[in-house]
Amino acid sequence: MYLITNIIGVLVFLAIAFLFSKDHKHVNWRSVIVVLIINLFVAFFLTNFSWGRNAVQGAADGFNWLVQVSYTGIAFALPDWVNAKPMNFVTSALLPILMIVPLFDILTYFGILPFIIKWVGKFMKLITGQPRFEAFYSVEMMFLGNTEAIAVSGLQLKKLSKERILTIAMMSMSCITASIIGAYTQMVPGEYVITAIPLNIFNAIIVTSLLNPVRVSPEEDTIAKMGDSAEETDENGKPVREPFFSFLGDSILASGKLILIILANVIAFVALANLISKLLGLINPWLSLEHILGIILFPFSWLMGLDVNHAFEFAQYMGTKLMTNEFVVMGQISDHINSFPPHFRAQITVFLTSFANFSTIGMIIGAFKGIVDRDKNNHISKNVIYLLLSGVLVSLLSAGIIGLFVW
């Protein structure tokens, strides 16, 4: 009975995404069905074969190495921040942007990154049916984190329509950063953390294909390169590129500005959400956004094949994660998670393995504000509810799918 409920739950989550679709007529059903089949295979494969999880872990380790290198520069200027345990949010999530973004900009300057995007995107497009950049971004955000993935994609994002920008913003709700995977695995079962990473990416493609279907013509499905919009040309009519070190300096300064914008938005969003909870508490001490969200989300947690008691407990964890972050909930359950039934343990771990919460919305809006024009940024801001809905549905789908294979 619980397995049937779980299957129905996955279908209900997909139906909700379709119900709130911005364009029901142009949903790419081929993409949705193919990616769903791939996701079911990935969930089965990663829950049954450890060497598959080791491959995902190896890729994560590579990205983590890159982040660790960035900490050496931070430690030179701010050793007390890097050596602190745990590191604060600015050090762990934002300051690495100062190295990672210029690095990817250098790859863009010499044409390496556009080449990678072109061919990886082309391969992923064949599999998923998505435009090349969206297909590449789904891979890029697996380990790079939302703000970093957005920041290093600045050249491409400036060329996209506001509808495609919204798709990228919605997908970004399901990112994680490679540097914190190790911290996750210290608190919750590591095999499910690793399994959640590709599941979230494929489910982000499914959910955004349903919520925000965008038709992209072959002329629009191109990869931007340095000099495409250059105003100056040489005697042969070729674009004149900015001198390398001038370009690098601009990239570093833009990265610093982006960090400040993201930080300001995160502080404001978290504080305002907490203010709402405090005001609700004045009405009744039990009232808070976490509890309200927990009650609202109870039917969805029950649809994941859980009994009523575990479903209510799961819903409360979901509400807490949305209002705070995944680390808060992981800290609450880390000491006794192994006592949970296997089905519950797998689903709660997978649900928590993403950045989908209110503060992430502030991070994403802040990141885009530092890159794209006002019209595109306003389009994201007008659709904040779609960002949140996308993040929640992706987490529910990933947890629901993993639950089909773990009992």
Side-chain angles (χ1 to χ4, degrees):
M1 181 183 71
Y2 289 126
L3 175 59
I4 294 173
T5 303
N6 198 155
I7 294 171
I8 293 172
V10 170
L11 296 175
V12 168
F13 304 149
L14 293 171
I16 292 172
F18 178 70
L19 178 66
F20 287 93
S21 176
K22 286 178 167 289
D23 188 355
H24 296 89
K25 294 181 179 179
H26 293 116
V27 170
N28 187 343
W29 286 108
R30 172 194 170 277
S31 176
V32 171
I33 293 170
V34 169
V35 177
L36 180 60
I37 292 171
I38 293 172
N39 223 2
L40 290 169
F41 172 77
V42 169
F44 169 78
F45 180 74
L46 293 182
T47 53
N48 288 276
F49 300 98
S50 60
W51 60 270
R53 293 193 297 271
N54 291 338
V56 177
Q57 181 67 63
D61 289 343
F63 282 91
N64 186 42
W65 175 83
L66 187 64
V67 174
Q68 294 302 321
V69 171
S70 74
Y71 289 151
T72 60
I74 302 169
F76 178 79
L78 301 164
D80 294 343
W81 289 19
V82 174
N83 296 327
K85 300 296 180 185
M87 283 189 284
N88 62 46
F89 167 74
V90 175
T91 307
S92 62
L94 296 185
L95 290 184
I97 288 176
L98 288 171
M99 189 205 80
I100 294 172
V101 172
L103 172 63
F104 277 76
D105 280 348
I106 291 170
L107 295 176
T108 300
Y109 185 88
F110 291 107
I112 299 171
L113 185 60
F115 178 83
I116 295 172
I117 295 174
K118 176 181 177 181
W119 291 105
V120 173
K122 191 172 184 178
F123 173 73
M124 288 295 295
K125 179 180 179 178
L126 290 173
I127 298 174
T128 66
Q130 298 298 299
R132 279 187 288 180
F133 177 70
E134 283 86 332
F136 174 82
Y137 187 82
S138 68
V139 177
E140 183 180 43
M141 74 175 193
M142 284 180 71
F143 307 109
L144 202 52
N146 40 37
T147 52
E148 292 91 341
I150 292 169
V152 302
S153 304
L155 179 65
Q156 307 299 327
L157 295 174
K158 291 173 183 176
K159 303 289 184 180
L160 301 186
S161 66
K162 63 183 181 181
E163 291 78 17
R164 293 177 70 186
I165 288 287
L166 179 60
T167 293
I168 298 299
M170 290 162 62
M171 292 174 72
S172 300
M173 290 291 292
S174 302
C175 279
I176 65 166
T177 302
S179 60
I180 64 173
I181 292 175
Y184 286 165
T185 59
Q186 295 299 311
M187 294 186 285
V188 292
E191 65 269 27
Y192 298 131
V193 171
I194 297 301
T195 302
I197 296 169
L199 292 187
N200 285 342
I201 302 313
F202 286 119
N203 281 322
I205 293 174
I206 293 171
V207 169
T208 54
S209 294
L210 290 169
L211 285 176
N212 188 45
V214 179
R215 305 188 75 177
V216 179
S217 67
E219 293 77 21
E220 294 176 295
D221 192 14
T222 57
I223 303 302
K225 302 186 293 294
M226 289 294 300
D228 282 352
S229 58
E231 297 181 0
E232 293 185 47
T233 57
D234 59 20
E235 62 274 9
N236 297 318
K238 294 183 179 180
V240 175
R241 290 196 299 181
E242 183 181 5
F244 175 73
F245 285 103
S246 174
F247 166 81
L248 181 59
D250 289 343
S251 174
I252 294 170
L253 289 175
S255 301
K257 177 182 176 183
L258 181 61
I259 289 172
L260 293 176
I261 293 172
I262 295 169
L263 181 61
N265 277 269
V266 170
I267 291 173
F269 267 73
V270 172
L272 288 171
N274 190 55
L275 174 62
I276 294 172
S277 282
K278 295 293 185 184
L279 292 175
L280 289 171
L282 294 177
I283 300 172
N284 187 308
W286 183 86
L287 275 179
S288 69
L289 281 179
E290 292 96 320
H291 286 135
I292 292 172
L293 285 170
I295 292 171
I296 294 172
L297 292 170
F298 169 75
F300 304 106
S301 62
W302 178 77
L303 281 169
M304 286 192 287
L306 298 169
D307 62 64
V308 173
N309 291 331
H310 280 123
F312 183 77
E313 184 180 5
F314 197 111
Q316 294 301 307
Y317 290 142
M318 291 163 68
T320 301
K321 187 220 174 184
L322 289 174
M323 280 304 303
T324 55
N325 59 55
E326 69 281 4
F327 275 109
V328 172
V329 182
M330 287 181 181
Q332 292 176 354
I333 67 176
S334 61
D335 290 338
H336 56 277
I337 189 168
N338 289 326
S339 66
F340 292 163
H343 184 71
F344 183 93
R345 181 167 65 245
Q347 289 190 317
I348 190 63
T349 300
V350 170
F351 184 89
L352 293 175
T353 307
S354 78
F355 288 164
N357 56 46
F358 283 105
S359 63
T360 297
I361 294 174
M363 292 171 65
I364 291 171
I365 291 176
F368 277 104
K369 191 179 288 291
I371 295 173
V372 301
D373 60 42
R374 180 180 292 273
D375 181 54
K376 293 175 181 178
N377 195 263
N378 286 344
H379 187 64
I380 297 172
S381 299
K382 291 175 184 176
N383 288 277
V384 162
I385 189 65
Y386 274 85
L387 268 67
L388 186 61
L389 182 60
S390 174
V392 173
L393 285 176
V394 168
S395 295
L396 286 172
L397 269 175
S398 294
I401 288 173
I402 196 68
L404 297 175
F405 302 98
V406 181
W407 291 94

